Amino acid sequence: MPVTIILGAQWGDEGKGRAVDWLSGQADIAARATGGDNAGHTLNVGDNLLKLHLVPSGVLHPNVTCVMGNGMVINPVNLVKELDKLAASGLDITPGRILLSTRAHITTPAHIAQDAAQEQALGSEKIGTTLRGIGPTYLDKIGRRGLRAAEMADLETFAEKLEASLIRADASLVRDGYPALDIKGSVAAYVEAAAKLRPYLTDTTAYLNERLKAGARVVCEGAQGAMLDIDFGSYPFVTSSSPTVGGTLTGLGFGPKYVDRVVGVAKTYSTRVGGGPMPSELLDELGDRLRGTGANFWDEYGTTTGRPRRCGWLDMVVLRYSCAVNGFTELVMTKLDILSGFEEVRICVAYDIDGQRYEYLPARIEDVARATPVYETLPGWSEDITGVRRMADLPTNARRYIERIAQLADTPVNVVSVGPERDQLVFA
Ligand code: GDP
Ligand code: IMO
Ligand code: MG
């Protein structure tokens, strides 16, 4: 410590929430830097099953202050709903314990309608977004016409500015043949939410810098993953923020001098929701086996949208690239229990594109779409490993699989998870 950054190393849903919950046990502050309620982070502690979208996953630790940073995009109505749910399950959500950056941007009903309209217009080429209005919100931010959370401090001007932006968006939506917005209803709902969120508004950059100077330990929670990054991901099949290491610093507002750990979270296989190429995807019964039946909450069905996730073997081209882009000091490899019972396990170590070998991710999406995976095959294991807590107690082939990943990634794997429960972690 003082600052540990935790990031998704693949296409999201790697198990960042549980990694943040684990590391928050040693922290004073848990902070989200990027994304919005497109994220879905699952925590499973005893009978408590929490699905968080905006509030950081440190929330289960009573002494941890939760910060929603300036790089985030916030749907105020959904944030109020999430806070109400947390309060109902007995968690402390008082202002001061939960802080919302005055510089975060606000997702409006216009952004949600625009997201749906853009996806509809793309037809079969659609991104497969979460339809939470994320892209249009960041577009307005970059276009210098967005509404920031600070506006919620003055309900009257907030209502005026929101209404003006909805009227503007409505005109072009209707012109293009999409349904009209409920402007009056939306403004009323947003003003009601803003009134509830006002006490949470904080200059979180000033707060974090003061606390860091005083020696506080901060865990930064990434959303999404490197392959969904606007710069480094599989563009255009990406989200509209920077869920890699640089985005964490701009999304919270402190310098790199405080950061001493950058933890990459990756599944021991690959999953992706939404469109875009995925060379190691398994479209056969092996893929179905990885996906599960949907009967358990940890099966591969989206936390936010409920969509089945596309599943495949571990893609080392992606993980190697993600390690480079983020400079991970270590990896947490999740869901090793799911691979128990496979006769053999495979790692995609390179892409073959028109007879040429690529160990690094190519930029052009057409190239990735044409890539065939080059596999290395390792022997599987059949033992139930959900009760294992030390690396030395893993079956030899499971340990070899993890060791091979660390070697190929040139990054140590310090922790492996073998089940969704808080304590189902395997340490060296
Ligand atoms: P995040 O978005 O990166 O926080 O990940 P999600 O919460 O969207 O998805 C991860 C899913 O896998 C959740 O349902 C977790 O409960 C589950 N999970 C995490 N680690 C493990 C593990 O080691 N084994 C199993 N079986 N499930 C896990
Ligand atoms: P967490 O934090 C997995 C994907 C969407 C889509 C693309 C763009 O839980 O890992 P967006 O709504 O952001 O414009 O969608 O990004 N996506 C995610 N996939 N996990 C997430 O978050 C995701 N957030 C966005 O499926 O392909
Ligand atoms: Mg998720």
Side-chain angles (χ1 to χ4, degrees), residues 13-18 40-42 297-298 303 309 334-335 337-338 417-420:
D13 301 330
E14 298 91 348
K16 298 174 293 292
R18 66 108 35 98
H41 297 177
T42 316
F297 60 83
W298 61 83
T303 311
R309 296 180 185 137
T334 62
K335 305 194 82 164
D337 53 305
I338 301 296
S417 78
V418 290

Side-chain angles (χ1 to χ4, degrees), residues 11-13 16 38-41 128-130 223-224 228 238-239 273 307:
W11 286 277
D13 301 330
K16 298 174 293 292
N38 50 347
H41 297 177
T129 74
T130 59
Q224 288 78 53
L228 297 173
V238 293
T239 190
V273 269
R307 290 178 291 176

Side-chain angles (χ1 to χ4, degrees), residues 36 62 67 83 87 111 170 268 285 309 362 390 402 410:
V67 172
L83 290 171
H111 294 136
D170 188 60
T268 45
E285 66 275 11
R309 296 180 185 137
R390 292 169 53 88
I402 296 296
D410 196 19

Side-chain angles (χ1 to χ4, degrees), residues 61-76:
H61 297 275
N63 297 326
V64 168
T65 303
C66 293
V67 172
M68 288 171 274
N70 57 280
M72 289 187 72
V73 291
I74 302 286
N75 178 324

Side-chain angles (χ1 to χ4, degrees), residues 217-239:
R217 296 157 304 171
V218 182
V219 167
C220 306
E221 173 174 2
Q224 288 78 53
M227 292 309 290
L228 297 173
D229 186 280
I230 188 76
D231 283 272
F232 300 110
S234 49
Y235 193 88
F237 296 96
V238 293
T239 190

